[in-house]
Structures are given as structure tokens and as C-alpha cells.
Amino acid sequence: MFDEQMRLGKERLLRPLARPLHFLAPWHLSLISLGMGVASAIALAGQAYGLGFILWFLNRLFDGLDGTLARSQGQKSDFGGYLDILIDFVVYALIPIGLVLGQPSEAAWLSLAMMLGVFYVNAASWMYLAAILEKRQRSQTGQMTSVTMPAGLIGGTETIILYTFFMLFPSFFISLFYLMTFLVVITIAQRIHWAYHHLSSQT
């Protein structure tokens, strides 16, 4: 919901941090981001929540830096955007799995299954819509993402906030999983509503 506004501020904030990294390729930072995300999930599985949070923060930092570095080097590419979103999806799956492994229970596994199932549907709700918009040549120019991401209640910014809450309040992660599931369902409904009103015609 707030992704566009946050991207502009993030770009200004990260640009000075990206300058000293000019000797690296953007995809190097993407892989570092992946490593931090995997390490965070492992730490959470061991109930090392403070360490998990720090590694999650570093994951998000490097996830932002790869795009900023690519733009500063004039190396922005479709492959870079593809790799970035793929890594995000891996980390977004591993973090809640790590939390459940740290405190396994039937209720925890059920909440995880519900949330990841809704994530699966949500991915289809915006990825296929983005492909249709590209086909219709309605992608936004000047955007910082590789594809047009139709807006919804839950976007990247809101996901980061909720995942942070998962780690800061691990005793309540089951309730938070269900809260995120509910909010993502609303987001899916928003996109279906938008698609019905904008894509019904073939023009």
C-alpha cells in the first residue's frame, strides 16, 4: 500500500551506502541478501529471536542495496529484478517456517499452511495481472520495480512490518500469521475487483 512512497525514501537513504560497493555486481548483494535470510530462518528455528531479527534486518538492507547499486551503475536489468523477487519469495517462505520449527505445534503448522497457501494465491493475483498489463502495454514508466505491481492493502512495506512483528513477538506469531492471512485475502479481493473493472474488455 505504501511501497511507492517508501521506495523513493529508501533510494535516497541507500544511495550513499551503495557508493562504496561499486566494485561488486548487484547480484552479489542479492546473494548476500539470500544468505542473510536463510541464516535468519535458521536462527529463528533455534529460538534465537534477537539474532534472527538482526539477520532479517541485514537481509532487507542488502535486498534494497542491490537495486540501488544497479541503478547507480546503470546495470538495472530484467534478470536482476527476476532474481530479486525470487529471493524475496524464498526468504518470505523460510522465515515463518523457521518460527514454526522453533515452536512446533499443530496450531502453528496449521496457521503456517493457511498463510503460505494464501501467499501462493496472492502471487498469482499480482504476477499474472502484471503480465496482462505488460501485454496491454500499460506498465508504468519510470518505476523502480522490474514489473508493474498492482497496489493492494499488503505490499512489500507491510510485509516487512508484519514479519518484524513475528520476530519481536514470537509468542504471538500464530495470531499474527492469521492476521496476515486475513489481510492478504483482502488484498487478493482488491486485485480481483480492479481486474474485473479494468480488464473485462479486450482493449
Side-chain angles (χ1 to χ4, degrees), residues 11 15 18-19 22 65 67-76:
E11 188 75 3
R15 198 173 294 129
R19 289 193 192 104
H22 66 277
L65 278 170
T68 301
L69 181 64
R71 284 183 286 275
S72 69
Q73 293 179 339
Q75 294 185 23
K76 184 178 176 182

Side-chain angles (χ1 to χ4, degrees), residues 118 152-154 180-191:
V118 168
L153 179 63
I154 297 295
M180 186 163 195
T181 299
F182 174 71
L183 295 176
V184 172
V185 167
I186 293 176
T187 303
I188 294 168
Q190 287 178 309
R191 295 205 177 106

Side-chain angles (χ1 to χ4, degrees), residues 115-187:
M115 188 174 73
L116 293 185
V118 168
F119 282 5
Y120 173 83
V121 178
N122 183 56
S125 80
W126 73 260
M127 285 188 175
Y128 197 78
L129 185 53
I132 292 172
L133 293 175
E134 181 74 20
K135 184 184 75 170
R136 293 189 175 201
Q137 298 182 337
R138 292 174 61 177
S139 294
Q140 300 171 10
T141 57
Q143 63 187 12
M144 292 186 184
T145 55
S146 296
V147 296
T148 297
M149 296 186 182
L153 179 63
I154 297 295
T157 301
E158 295 76 24
T159 298
I160 292 170
I161 292 171
L162 285 165
Y163 269 53
T164 299
F165 284 168
F166 296 166
M167 297 174 212
L168 295 180
F169 306 102
S171 298
F172 302 97
F173 77 77
I174 294 176
S175 297
L176 291 169
F177 281 10
Y178 280 120
L179 173 62
M180 186 163 195
T181 299
F182 174 71
L183 295 176
V184 172
V185 167
I186 293 176
T187 303

Side-chain angles (χ1 to χ4, degrees), residues 4-200:
E4 286 302 319
Q5 299 92 323
M6 292 299 295
R7 284 190 189 105
L8 295 175
K10 181 185 71 173
E11 188 75 3
R12 287 192 294 267
L13 181 66
L14 294 183
R15 198 173 294 129
L17 298 177
R19 289 193 192 104
L21 303 175
H22 66 277
F23 60 94
L24 295 173
W27 65 269
H28 292 155
L29 301 186
S30 299
L31 293 182
I32 293 172
S33 168
L34 174 61
M36 294 297 175
V38 172
S40 176
I42 293 171
L44 295 172
Q47 297 189 16
Y49 298 114
L51 177 60
F53 173 75
I54 292 171
L55 292 166
W56 161 249
F57 174 81
L58 292 173
N59 163 263
R60 292 297 86 199
L61 176 63
F62 282 102
D63 178 71
L65 278 170
D66 60 0
T68 301
L69 181 64
R71 284 183 286 275
S72 69
Q73 293 179 339
Q75 294 185 23
K76 184 178 176 182
S77 68
D78 289 338
F79 173 75
Y82 170 76
L83 183 63
D84 185 75
I85 195 67
L86 186 62
I87 289 172
D88 279 348
F89 271 63
V90 171
V91 173
Y92 288 158
L94 289 180
I95 292 293
I97 290 173
L99 283 162
V100 173
L101 288 174
Q103 299 185 53
S105 69
E106 184 177 343
W109 285 111
L110 178 60
S111 67
L112 175 68
M114 292 285 288
M115 188 174 73
L116 293 185
V118 168
F119 282 5
Y120 173 83
V121 178
N122 183 56
S125 80
W126 73 260
M127 285 188 175
Y128 197 78
L129 185 53
I132 292 172
L133 293 175
E134 181 74 20
K135 184 184 75 170
R136 293 189 175 201
Q137 298 182 337
R138 292 174 61 177
S139 294
Q140 300 171 10
T141 57
Q143 63 187 12
M144 292 186 184
T145 55
S146 296
V147 296
T148 297
M149 296 186 182
L153 179 63
I154 297 295
T157 301
E158 295 76 24
T159 298
I160 292 170
I161 292 171
L162 285 165
Y163 269 53
T164 299
F165 284 168
F166 296 166
M167 297 174 212
L168 295 180
F169 306 102
S171 298
F172 302 97
F173 77 77
I174 294 176
S175 297
L176 291 169
F177 281 10
Y178 280 120
L179 173 62
M180 186 163 195
T181 299
F182 174 71
L183 295 176
V184 172
V185 167
I186 293 176
T187 303
I188 294 168
Q190 287 178 309
R191 295 205 177 106
I192 293 172
H193 180 267
W194 188 94
Y196 175 78
H197 286 282
H198 292 82
L199 304 181
S200 295

